[in-house]
Amino acid sequence: MTKINIPDNCPCCDSPLTRINDQLFCQNKSCPAQLFKRLEHFAKTLNIKGFGPKTIEKLNISSIEEIYFLDREDLVSALGSEKVADKLLEEIENSKTASLDKVLASFSIPLFGQTLARKLLSVISHVDEINEDTCSRAGLGPKVTANLIYWLETEYAEIGEFLPFSWSVQPVVANSVDRGTICITGKLHSFKTKDEAYQTLKSLGFNISESVTSKVTHLVDETDKMSSKRKRAEELGTTIIPNLKNFLESL
């Protein structure tokens, strides 16, 4: 049997490794390999388009919070294009309004993703309310709870105030008007994400359905590729919406 030697130091930056819940972690936030993957995951989770591996290499930033302090002139110089720089700045600005479940999921907390974040937000209204009790009530296990609390006491405590997020759950404004039930098929062009569209629809009094049934009053289809949902909607005589934003503006 081959003996496995457990490393004491990070193979990339040589910093001492820390054992957390039977896993080894490099705690050096300046570790090039760790930082690169964290930045990549952060941007991908918050849908910051244009902030991929090549851009990360060109910008040479050393922490997540630096994303929100990028200077246009420096961006133009690093990326070689005013158009690309302005588009990236726009994407970064848009990310500031991301829902809290996405924000929490963007920090590469081990074992903790957006699904668990949504469960957690069902029992808390602000990040400061995260503790063993609220995590337990949300159904989170002991390992992910420990990872989450560790992140809260370290990274969040250090950089939370420098990031543009509210860190609180944004309540959906109640609307007494029942405008019907909407289903979305395919990719949206009028909204950045389906989550954003869903939040807007709910605030305006629409119900959301993942499938087309007789109760669905509207189907949003901005790609017009005759999906199975589109075919079913036409069979039922459901109203088809080719552009959701235009439809909502007409209400």
Side-chain angles (χ1 to χ4, degrees):
M1 181 179 293
T2 303
K3 183 179 179 181
I4 299 176
N5 294 317
I6 300 176
D8 295 318
N9 298 83
C10 172
C12 182
C13 67
D14 202 39
S15 297
L17 295 173
T18 302
R19 184 185 294 274
I20 302 175
N21 297 326
D22 297 324
Q23 299 178 69
L24 292 173
F25 293 95
C26 173
Q27 302 299 332
N28 176 19
K29 291 186 174 61
S30 298
C31 174
Q34 181 185 183
L35 175 62
F36 189 92
K37 286 298 182 182
R38 284 171 53 79
L39 287 170
E40 189 176 8
H41 177 76
F42 181 85
K44 184 176 181 180
T45 304
L46 295 188
N47 299 310
I48 305 177
K49 297 178 181 178
F51 205 93
K54 291 183 179 180
T55 299
I56 294 173
E57 289 179 2
K58 291 177 180 179
L59 294 181
N60 193 33
I61 58 179
S62 59
S63 61
I64 285 175
E65 64 268 31
E66 285 186 46
I67 294 174
Y68 296 97
F69 292 91
L70 288 171
D71 179 80
R72 182 181 184 275
E73 185 176 339
D74 292 337
L75 272 179
V76 172
S77 176
L79 303 179
S81 167
E82 291 188 355
K83 183 177 180 180
V84 173
D86 288 339
K87 180 60 178 175
L88 182 57
L89 285 173
E90 180 183 351
E91 291 289 332
I92 292 172
E93 186 65 28
N94 291 338
S95 73
K96 296 178 182 180
T97 60
S99 58
L100 186 56
D101 57 323
K102 279 193 172 184
V103 172
L104 290 175
S106 70
F107 285 95
S108 302
I109 303 169
L111 306 177
F112 186 76
Q114 197 170 350
T115 299
L116 290 184
R118 290 194 185 106
K119 289 184 177 181
L120 182 61
L121 297 188
S122 68
V123 298
I124 68 169
S125 58
H126 193 278
V127 170
D128 290 343
E129 297 174 12
I130 296 176
N131 53 47
E132 290 187 1
D133 177 61
T134 53
C135 286
S136 176
R137 285 195 281 123
L140 275 61
K143 288 187 177 181
V144 68
T145 295
N147 293 338
L148 186 57
I149 292 177
Y150 180 80
W151 169 82
L152 190 71
E153 295 175 345
T154 54
E155 186 172 6
Y156 173 73
E158 293 175 5
I159 70 173
E161 63 180 305
F162 301 110
L163 292 168
F165 311 118
S166 67
W167 300 112
S168 62
V169 178
Q170 299 302 312
V172 176
V173 179
N175 194 310
S176 58
V177 179
D178 184 355
R179 296 183 182 273
T181 300
I182 281 187
C183 178
I184 298 175
T185 183
K187 185 178 180 180
L188 287 177
H189 301 297
S190 60
F191 279 82
K192 188 173 183 181
T193 65
K194 285 186 178 180
D195 282 344
E196 180 185 346
Y198 287 149
Q199 290 179 20
T200 301
L201 288 167
K202 288 177 182 178
S203 71
L204 293 173
F206 287 97
N207 298 306
I208 306 299
S209 176
E210 294 295 333
S211 58
V212 177
T213 67
S214 58
K215 294 183 179 180
V216 172
T217 55
H218 303 79
L219 175 73
V220 178
D221 182 7
E222 297 188 353
T223 57
D224 194 23
K225 291 185 177 180
M226 198 50 67
S227 64
S228 58
K229 289 182 179 179
R230 173 67 178 261
K231 292 178 181 178
R232 179 58 176 160
E234 290 186 349
E235 290 174 0
L236 294 171
T238 306
T239 300
I240 308 298
I241 302 172
N243 186 290
L244 181 55
K245 184 162 288 187
N246 290 346
F247 169 73
L248 295 180
E249 290 176 351
S250 69
L251 294 177

